[in-house]
Amino acid sequence: MRRIVVVGGVAGGMSAATRLRRLDEEASITVLERSGHVSFANCGLPYHLGGVIEKRSSLLLQTPESLAARFAIDVRVHHEVRAIDREHRRVSVRDLATDESFELGYDALVLSPGARPVVPNLPGMSVAHTLRDIEDLDHLVAAARDVEAAVVIGGGFIGVEVAENLVHRGIPVTLVEATDQVMAPLDPEMVEPVHDALRAAGVQLVLGASVERIEPAHVTATTLDDGTVATAVGVPVVHLSDGRALPAGLVVAAIGVRPERALAEEAGLAIGERGGILVDEQLRTSDPAIFAVGDAVEKHDGLDASSVLVPLANTANRQGRVVADVIVGRPGADRPVLGTAIVGVFGVAAAAVGWNEKRLRAAGRPHRVLHTHPGSHAGYYPGAETIALKLLVDPDTDAILGAQAVGRDGIDKRIDVIATAMTGGLTAGELADLELAYAPQFGSAKDPVNMLGWVDRAVADGDVETVQWHELGAALAAGATLVDVRSPAEHAARPIPGGVNVPVDDLRARMDELPDGPLVVHCEVGLRGYVAARLLAQHGREVRNLDGGYRTWRAGTAATHVAEEVSAPA
Amino acid sequence: MRRIVVVGGVAGGMSAATRLRRLDEEASITVLERSGHVSFANCGLPYHLGGVIEKRSSLLLQTPESLAARFAIDVRVHHEVRAIDREHRRVSVRDLATDESFELGYDALVLSPGARPVVPNLPGMSVAHTLRDIEDLDHLVAAARDVEAAVVIGGGFIGVEVAENLVHRGIPVTLVEATDQVMAPLDPEMVEPVHDALRAAGVQLVLGASVERIEPAHVTATTLDDGTVATAVGVPVVHLSDGRALPAGLVVAAIGVRPERALAEEAGLAIGERGGILVDEQLRTSDPAIFAVGDAVEKHDGLDASSVLVPLANTANRQGRVVADVIVGRPGADRPVLGTAIVGVFGVAAAAVGWNEKRLRAAGRPHRVLHTHPGSHAGYYPGAETIALKLLVDPDTDAILGAQAVGRDGIDKRIDVIATAMTGGLTAGELADLELAYAPQFGSAKDPVNMLGWVDRAVADGDVETVQWHELGAALAAGATLVDVRSPAEHAARPIPGGVNVPVDDLRARMDELPDGPLVVHCEVGLRGYVAARLLAQHGREVRNLDGGYRTWRAGTAATHVAEEVSAPA
Ligand SMILES: Cc1cc2nc3c(=O)[nH]c(=O)nc-3n(C[C@H](O)[C@H](O)[C@H](O)COP(=O)(O)OP(=O)(O)OC[C@H]3O[C@@H](n4cnc5c(N)ncnc54)[C@H](O)[C@@H]3O)c2cc1C
Ligand SMILES: Cc1cc2nc3c(=O)[nH]c(=O)nc-3n(C[C@H](O)[C@H](O)[C@H](O)COP(=O)(O)OP(=O)(O)OC[C@H]3O[C@@H](n4cnc5c(N)ncnc54)[C@H](O)[C@@H]3O)c2cc1C
Ligand SMILES: CC(C)(COP(=O)(O)OP(=O)(O)OC[C@H]1O[C@@H](n2cnc3c(N)ncnc32)[C@H](O)[C@@H]1OP(=O)(O)O)[C@@H](O)C(=O)NCCC(=O)NCCS
Ligand SMILES: CC(C)(COP(=O)(O)OP(=O)(O)OC[C@H]1O[C@@H](n2cnc3c(N)ncnc32)[C@H](O)[C@@H]1OP(=O)(O)O)[C@@H](O)C(=O)NCCC(=O)NCCS
């Protein structure tokens, strides 16, 4: 009889345990979990805070009892594994309820300890809440009662979700993010709708400032007339690097997570360059009897096989299943990760897959960039919402390197389709040939994903040359003339400075009005600009099209202004 | 200067014309369109009838004027091409407004005449409306005023959409379908939610009956006391094969479409076995100067390369673009089709890609079948809707042969992901490894598509054997015992006749209650049945799991009853 011990009883750990039972009815399977709950919906925690998920019990997908009944798994909550004795293949366990310790032998040990929230070592930070498990949630819910203002530190997906849900509770929220944008997976010109949604919902967004210290709540004591002393407890004040002081009855730190690796490290298991537990393709650590999965391990990047940390539930669950197969001796191998992710906030969804432009640039990897702004479904059918889409493509191979989508509808679908295309090895141009389900309420005869394929081919085939939003200034400085091919009304309402206006439909007739020399054409989103560029090129003009049109330019420029303000001395 | 003439100015034809202009600023491009409009949204027509698309003008995406302005295309509506003089490369055109005819020479001719509604040759059928273009819509909208009851003949996607939109107008509708189900792309056990949605919205659904004749409206004349004659016009009566007589002020025939091939046929161009214009990979007809695209041509099936008719907008638009490339001498090739399609009706969406089981069976092609009933997103987050999913897999290669999805949310996404996986050559098992965007309002950590992959692997790896809903009777007749592993309450509420009830969580303790011999286990959707099957198999029992559980069995059985009633003599 195999003895299997699993450390951590949530996404990766419990997926491994249940799969192990399905594969081996005889094995002894013990799951040790430090917190008071297993198999809870981590990803749902923020939504119970905001009352979106009404019942706390909805978050508890399984209990030790249900897992014992169905899978004959010995699940022990409030049990922390303190050390691994690799030589004797046993773990030392602390029962946190009784404070007693004991040893437990294993033939195979699975570590799925997850990742812990980073809490910066700053004065007063101990008042800050973090959100990782049910206990954290309970504390947060209790602390959120009668709070007049909250500060959320960190604009990653958990910070953004917590901010949204505090607003749902009616608490005014300031979100403080040290960089110049929330949601780091998005490039700066893509993030604007998320910033807008946060602001429109009343979140005070502070970008480019960091927390320097938290001043504890002052207790003021007043001696009353009758000689008794009345004490009043104030609220902590969050002091920012830009000098702001924000009184906040509630502070939540959500500046990221780090692999929970102490146990592995102390046992002498190899740790990778990113600080995660190092595992091979079979999820084996440097000790062949010990496996590790989930947020705690380093993964291999789907594009360049480099080590990456991808703390996402899909990966943790899949690895849990793979490790079970490996342990019973079946073929099973971990896959490189694309890191597909999505967040929803106040009705806006933002999703990404693969690499973003920031990362491609930092790595010096050549890339072609495309921006489009299609409707989520056919424009003639009511309710279509604009999607901001970005595709990053390898200019040599046409391989898809990454994609981003932001908007109110159809975001998850487009990113899922592109993630699937990447996994299937389709090129960017091949997106044009996908047969996607079309009726007017669901998409377009040429779906936004198809359209990305055509826009890509137009560039790849040399039919059009594009200028990116951040290259426009240089192009104009080098002498190009900017031609706005939108209607006069659009030109007047939303101009790019320095542009002359000749609508695309008048171009053939008014071509002689255009000054000599290189041209950059632009429209609202890039389509009419492309049509104009094709026309002008065939009439012998040197012309480039502003990729993504006015909209991408405006979003990018707005983001740059933020960045400049942020980096300017306070 | 190239002279290009395009016949048919909508999806395929106009896509070809605009792309041609982008590729060749010099060409003379003439588009001839029989109806009074070009570039209209065929797929939106039913929704204007119902007022969902309020403005008729929303359906007119481009006009002859806008196309002349932007693309310098000579667009002539009310111009019908009557004949092709292949020898002299010219078409003879009738101006339907003036009734004058003229000839027009071409270097390349593009036929995109579409498909015309089939109208059965039955007595009285001439009163029936069809819906193909704006003129048809105008007639239909006019005829729908003051109508007390309507009959829609045909349960394909246009029939279903027309029925829905007549209900939106407040008109009681009877939908008559000759087979035992609407939406032929779906297998019988998948279609039930569509039938339910139609009935719940008040549509009288008549399955398995066909129209035999339509009795014209009677005019009754009454001589009044003063000697004058008053006439009253009744309504036509639709007589069905089952003896029913349905009075209907409005009759719409939507029993399918046939390639509009007369022009090509009369010109001696090759016609394929399915009745569509025959084209090669470059969309060239048997005359190298004549090309054809869209609903009028035969396509090659993505699975077996056989000739198929796929009258869908995505294909027509893509072919229009390819043919333009070919005409200017660029590389360009048509692709085999998967036929991804979707329809929405009263909030239920039904989508399919690839082959269905009916077709696989008819072709004698081996296939593995999987049914699941996952939530559209994480169950702990409010608003999740059940999806009925079906996957068809090649048992030898694990290739995905087809998929179907029906439900109220996330249908388009799942079918699009599977269609993309098929195009990328991913196997069914590889669906498990897809990294799909997950936050609780958008999906699940193990997305329904991932789950299909695991369910497939469990069968492929021999971990479980399944019984299909239609095989259960035979399995039980051959001596297997049916074990319902749901809770006693579920068993009592929704039993499959003949099953004994031992909840999965009690199985280990109560195993000796199970009779000897082969077992079939079942639960509500298949998951607990799978867990039970794994357990029992490891305890040495011969066991199979009812694929898709009670739900698929019930839906399939209900469909079979319909089919039996339908085929029984009236
Ligand atoms: C608030 C929040 C929202 C999230 N939202 C999303 C989302 O929308 N989408 C998404 O993809 N991902 C989301 N995630 C991330 C996702 O939950 C994780 O990727 C996933 O849970 C990781 O699984 P895991 O098994 O590695 O770790 P976990 O699920 O975190 O489980 C690890 C468990 O191990 C226990 N443990 C650690 N050390 C020990 C020890 N020594 N002894 C005993 N027990 C120990 C811990 O108590 C913990 O419960 C979210 C996470 C949080 C916290
Ligand atoms: C009501 C309705 C709903 C639909 N819904 C959907 C949907 O939801 N999803 C989907 O994918 N598809 C849908 N379709 C199908 C889709 O519209 C077609 O696949 C697509 O339009 C085919 O393009 P085509 O260019 O081949 O033909 P069409 O778009 O039909 O254009 C052909 C044109 O050629 C003209 N013509 C024919 N012969 C001549 C001639 N001799 N001279 C001059 N002109 C001629 C006709 O008048 C016609 O306007 C729907 C169709 C209809 C009618
Ligand atoms: C729920 C949890 C215990 C895992 O349980 P699990 O048994 O592995 O997963 P599921 O209940 O989804 O069942 C999956 C199994 O059922 C099978 N299955 C699913 N649907 C099926 C169906 N309709 N018919 C037959 N089999 C089915 C799958 O093939 C899979 O089996 P396999 O792995 O042996 O191939 C674990 O994931 C967990 O603790 N989750 C909560 C925490 C978490 O995931 N957090 C992050 C997200 S919030
Ligand atoms: C609308 C219609 C005239 C086609 O016009 P079109 O110019 O081919 O199509 P679009 O306006 O979508 O533009 C597509 C072109 O713009 C380019 N493009 C799209 N978005 C772009 C962007 N943001 N930036 C740059 N280029 C862009 C594409 O690459 C493509 O060009 P290419 O084919 O040369 O590569 C034709 O499809 C039609 O008549 N449709 C109505 C009928 C119909 O489709 N019915 C069935 C469905 S209801």
Side-chain angles (χ1 to χ4, degrees):
Chain A
M1 190 189 67
R2 257 188 215 106
R3 292 167 313 156
I4 298 155
V5 172
V6 178
V7 183
V10 197
M14 204 54 87
S15 293
T18 55
R19 171 76 178 160
L20 275 164
R21 175 59 73 222
R22 287 192 291 272
L23 296 179
D24 183 355
E25 182 66 14
E26 298 299 312
S28 140
I29 306 173
T30 308
V31 176
L32 302 164
E33 166 59 44
R34 180 172 54 202
S35 80
H37 305 83
V38 289
S39 286
F40 57 86
N42 332 49
C43 318
L45 297 174
Y47 297 96
H48 179 58
L49 175 63
V52 177
I53 297 174
E54 269 182 63
K55 292 197 200 134
R56 178 178 178 277
S57 60
S58 307
L59 298 171
L60 305 173
L61 309 185
Q62 297 285 343
T63 60
E65 297 70 37
S66 70
L67 290 156
R70 181 152 312 164
F71 294 104
I73 298 173
D74 183 5
V75 178
R76 313 219 197 146
V77 294
H78 294 307
H79 278 63
E80 184 174 37
V81 175
R82 291 282 173 94
I84 306 171
D85 176 353
R86 289 170 52 192
E87 200 188 337
H88 300 99
R89 296 204 173 171
R90 62 192 181 202
V91 290
S92 102
V93 188
R94 185 82 159 190
D95 179 338
L96 301 175
T98 63
D99 237 349
E100 280 163 23
S101 293
F102 60 94
E103 313 269 286
L104 202 64
Y106 63 80
D107 301 309
L109 177 66
V110 178
L111 305 178
S112 189
R116 63 162 72 235
V118 176
V119 182
N121 187 8
L122 293 171
M125 222 7 135
S126 61
V127 304
H129 286 258
T130 55
L131 183 56
R132 179 185 183 182
D133 57 26
I134 299 283
E135 283 79 359
D136 293 342
L137 177 65
D138 291 343
H139 292 146
L140 199 47
V141 168
R145 292 204 182 96
D146 305 319
V147 158
E148 276 167 29
V151 167
V152 175
I153 311 172
F157 73 87
I158 297 179
V160 161
E161 288 176 354
V162 167
E164 178 186 28
N165 280 284
L166 288 171
V167 170
H168 287 331
R169 286 185 79 103
I171 301 173
V173 177
T174 303
L175 180 63
V176 180
E177 163 59 47
T179 72
D180 43 26
Q181 66 165 81
V182 303
M183 297 307 306
L186 298 178
D187 286 316
E189 83 281 15
M190 299 300 289
V191 82
E192 207 201 7
V194 183
H195 288 171
D196 287 348
L198 285 164
R199 290 195 184 107
V203 174
Q204 193 191 349
L205 196 57
V206 178
L207 299 175
S210 50
V211 173
E212 301 210 315
R213 64 190 173 90
I214 303 177
E215 190 185 331
H218 285 286
V219 181
T220 45
T222 324
T223 309
L224 300 180
D225 286 351
D226 65 0
T228 58
V229 178
T231 55
V233 184
V235 294
V237 178
V238 180
H239 291 271
L240 304 189
S241 55
D242 65 1
R244 263 186 263 208
L246 307 165
L250 181 70
V251 179
V252 182
I255 60 172
V257 297
R258 264 196 213 122
E260 177 103 46
R261 67 171 198 229
L263 181 67
E265 204 167 21
E266 280 157 25
L269 298 177
I271 301 295
E273 52 185 286
R274 303 255 162 198
I277 304 173
L278 212 59
V279 290
D280 66 12
E281 253 207 328
Q282 272 67 46
L283 299 164
R284 218 176 256 109
T285 66
S286 53
D287 179 331
I290 306 181
F291 301 81
V293 299
D295 287 2
V297 308
E298 288 193 4
K299 285 135 199 168
H300 295 289
D301 183 86
L303 294 188
D304 71 353
S306 62
S307 284
V308 283
L309 295 173
V310 178
L312 290 172
N314 171 282
T315 316
N317 273 289
R318 286 187 298 123
Q319 289 191 329
R321 192 179 181 283
V322 170
V323 86
D325 285 21
V326 171
I327 289 171
V328 303
R330 294 190 174 211
D334 188 39
R335 290 249 180 164
V337 288
L338 295 175
T340 317
I342 189 166
V343 70
V345 55
F346 298 116
V348 169
V353 58
W355 286 31
N356 60 23
E357 190 173 352
K358 293 181 279 195
R359 186 163 163 195
L360 288 163
R361 272 201 228 169
R365 187 161 172 158
H367 54 279
R368 172 156 71 226
V369 181
L370 317 173
H371 295 90
T372 61
H373 301 268
S376 55
H377 62 244
Y380 63 80
Y381 190 95
E385 300 276 355
T386 298
I387 299 177
L389 259 179
K390 177 172 186 174
L391 194 73
L392 296 149
V393 183
D394 186 313
D396 297 323
T397 63
D398 204 37
I400 305 169
L401 303 175
Q404 295 161 50
V406 183
R408 294 189 170 267
D409 186 36
I411 300 305
D412 51 338
K413 177 164 84 168
R414 273 38 178 242
I415 288 297
D416 279 358
V417 166
I418 295 172
T420 305
M422 289 173 78
T423 303
L426 295 176
T427 62
E430 284 172 329
L431 295 177
D433 296 321
L434 290 176
E435 284 174 74
L436 301 171
Y438 167 57
Q441 61 275 57
F442 301 105
S444 292
K446 302 171 184 172
D447 190 84
V449 175
N450 296 136
M451 203 61 100
L452 281 178
W454 282 304
V455 175
D456 174 72
R457 286 189 195 172
V459 181
D461 294 349
D463 287 336
V464 69
E465 230 182 291
T466 59
V467 170
Q468 290 300 316
W469 63 273
H470 54 84
E471 298 167 339
L472 180 62
L476 300 186
T481 303
L482 181 65
V483 185
D484 180 353
V485 300
R486 296 173 301 177
S487 69
E490 290 172 282
H491 178 70
R494 295 182 300 282
I496 296 182
V500 300
N501 181 219
V502 183
V504 58
D505 293 352
D506 300 349
L507 263 184
R508 286 184 188 83
R510 293 173 54 189
M511 200 151 329
D512 49 6
E513 287 178 33
L514 300 176
D516 289 341
L519 304 172
V520 173
V521 289
H522 87 87
C523 63
E524 186 71 13
V525 298
L527 199 165
R528 283 172 289 172
Y530 163 67
V531 171
R534 289 296 306 151
L535 192 169
L536 291 166
Q538 293 188 68
H539 283 95
R541 298 301 307 254
E542 181 189 334
V543 56
R544 282 170 295 171
N545 182 29
L546 180 64
D547 182 60
Y550 172 82
R551 286 205 200 152
T552 298
W553 174 83
R554 216 230 26 206
T557 313
T560 315
H561 287 158
V562 171
E564 276 162 9
E565 279 165 31
V566 154
S567 59
Chain B
M1 191 190 65
R2 256 188 214 107
R3 293 167 311 156
I4 298 155
V5 172
V6 178
V7 182
V10 197
M14 204 54 87
S15 293
T18 55
R19 171 76 177 159
L20 274 164
R21 175 58 73 221
R22 288 192 291 273
L23 296 179
D24 183 355
E25 182 66 16
E26 298 300 311
S28 139
I29 305 173
T30 308
V31 176
L32 302 164
E33 165 59 46
R34 181 172 54 203
S35 79
H37 304 84
V38 289
S39 287
F40 57 87
N42 332 50
C43 317
L45 298 174
Y47 297 96
H48 180 59
L49 175 63
V52 177
I53 298 174
E54 268 182 63
K55 291 197 199 134
R56 178 178 178 278
S57 61
S58 306
L59 298 171
L60 305 173
L61 308 186
Q62 297 284 344
T63 61
E65 296 70 37
S66 71
L67 290 156
R70 181 153 312 165
F71 294 104
I73 298 174
D74 182 5
V75 177
R76 315 219 194 144
V77 295
H78 294 308
H79 278 64
E80 183 172 38
V81 176
R82 291 281 174 93
I84 307 171
D85 176 352
R86 290 168 52 190
E87 199 188 339
H88 301 96
R89 295 204 174 171
R90 60 190 184 204
V91 291
S92 103
V93 188
R94 184 81 159 192
D95 179 338
L96 301 175
T98 63
D99 238 348
E100 280 162 23
S101 294
F102 59 93
E103 313 269 288
L104 202 64
Y106 63 81
D107 300 309
L109 176 67
V110 178
L111 305 177
S112 189
R116 63 163 72 234
V118 176
V119 182
N121 187 8
L122 293 171
M125 219 14 131
S126 61
V127 304
H129 287 258
T130 55
L131 183 58
R132 177 184 183 183
D133 57 26
I134 299 284
E135 283 78 0
D136 293 341
L137 177 65
D138 292 343
H139 292 147
L140 199 47
V141 168
R145 293 206 181 95
D146 306 318
V147 159
E148 276 168 31
V151 168
V152 175
I153 311 173
F157 73 86
I158 297 179
V160 160
E161 288 176 355
V162 167
E164 178 185 29
N165 281 285
L166 288 172
V167 170
H168 287 330
R169 286 186 79 105
I171 302 174
V173 177
T174 302
L175 181 62
V176 181
E177 162 58 48
T179 71
D180 42 26
Q181 65 165 81
V182 304
M183 296 308 305
L186 298 178
D187 286 315
E189 81 283 13
M190 300 300 289
V191 82
E192 206 200 7
V194 183
H195 289 171
D196 287 349
L198 285 164
R199 290 195 184 107
V203 173
Q204 192 191 351
L205 196 57
V206 179
L207 299 175
S210 50
V211 173
E212 300 210 314
R213 64 191 173 89
I214 302 177
E215 190 186 330
H218 284 287
V219 181
T220 44
T222 323
T223 309
L224 301 180
D225 286 350
D226 64 0
T228 58
V229 178
T231 55
V233 184
V235 295
V237 178
V238 180
H239 291 271
L240 304 188
S241 55
D242 65 3
R244 263 185 265 209
L246 308 165
L250 182 69
V251 180
V252 182
I255 58 171
V257 298
R258 265 197 213 121
E260 178 103 45
R261 68 173 198 229
L263 182 67
E265 204 167 20
E266 281 157 25
L269 299 177
I271 301 297
E273 52 185 285
R274 303 256 161 198
I277 304 173
L278 212 59
V279 290
D280 66 13
E281 253 206 328
Q282 273 68 46
L283 299 164
R284 218 175 256 111
T285 66
S286 52
D287 180 329
I290 306 180
F291 301 81
V293 299
D295 287 3
V297 309
E298 288 193 5
K299 284 135 199 169
H300 294 288
D301 183 85
L303 294 188
D304 71 353
S306 62
S307 283
V308 282
L309 296 173
V310 178
L312 291 172
N314 171 282
T315 316
N317 273 288
R318 286 188 298 122
Q319 289 190 330
R321 193 182 181 281
V322 170
V323 87
D325 285 21
V326 171
I327 289 171
V328 303
R330 293 192 175 209
D334 188 39
R335 290 248 180 166
V337 289
L338 295 175
T340 317
I342 189 166
V343 69
V345 55
F346 298 117
V348 169
V353 58
W355 287 31
N356 61 22
E357 191 174 350
K358 293 180 278 194
R359 186 163 161 195
L360 288 163
R361 273 201 226 169
R365 187 161 172 158
H367 54 278
R368 172 156 70 227
V369 181
L370 316 174
H371 295 90
T372 61
H373 301 269
S376 55
H377 62 244
Y380 63 81
Y381 190 95
E385 300 277 354
T386 298
I387 300 177
L389 260 180
K390 177 173 186 174
L391 194 73
L392 295 149
V393 182
D394 186 313
D396 297 323
T397 63
D398 204 37
I400 305 169
L401 302 176
Q404 296 161 49
V406 183
R408 294 186 171 269
D409 186 37
I411 299 305
D412 50 339
K413 178 165 81 167
R414 275 32 178 248
I415 288 297
D416 279 358
V417 167
I418 295 172
T420 305
M422 289 174 78
T423 304
L426 295 176
T427 62
E430 284 172 328
L431 295 177
D433 297 320
L434 291 176
E435 284 172 75
L436 302 170
Y438 167 57
Q441 61 275 55
F442 302 105
S444 292
K446 301 170 184 172
D447 189 85
V449 175
N450 295 136
M451 205 59 102
L452 281 178
W454 282 304
V455 175
D456 174 72
R457 287 189 195 171
V459 182
D461 294 348
D463 287 336
V464 68
E465 230 183 288
T466 59
V467 170
Q468 291 299 317
W469 63 272
H470 54 84
E471 297 167 340
L472 181 63
L476 300 187
T481 304
L482 181 64
V483 185
D484 181 353
V485 300
R486 296 174 301 177
S487 69
E490 291 173 282
H491 178 70
R494 294 182 301 282
I496 297 182
V500 300
N501 180 220
V502 184
V504 59
D505 294 350
D506 299 350
L507 264 184
R508 287 185 188 83
R510 293 173 55 189
M511 200 153 329
D512 49 7
E513 287 178 32
L514 299 176
D516 289 343
L519 304 171
V520 173
V521 290
H522 88 87
C523 64
E524 186 70 13
V525 298
L527 198 165
R528 283 171 290 171
Y530 164 66
V531 171
R534 289 296 306 150
L535 193 170
L536 291 165
Q538 293 187 66
H539 283 95
R541 299 299 307 252
E542 182 189 334
V543 56
R544 283 171 293 172
N545 183 29
L546 179 64
D547 182 61
Y550 172 82
R551 285 206 202 151
T552 298
W553 174 83
R554 215 229 27 204
T557 313
T560 314
H561 287 157
V562 170
E564 275 162 9
E565 280 166 29
V566 154
S567 58

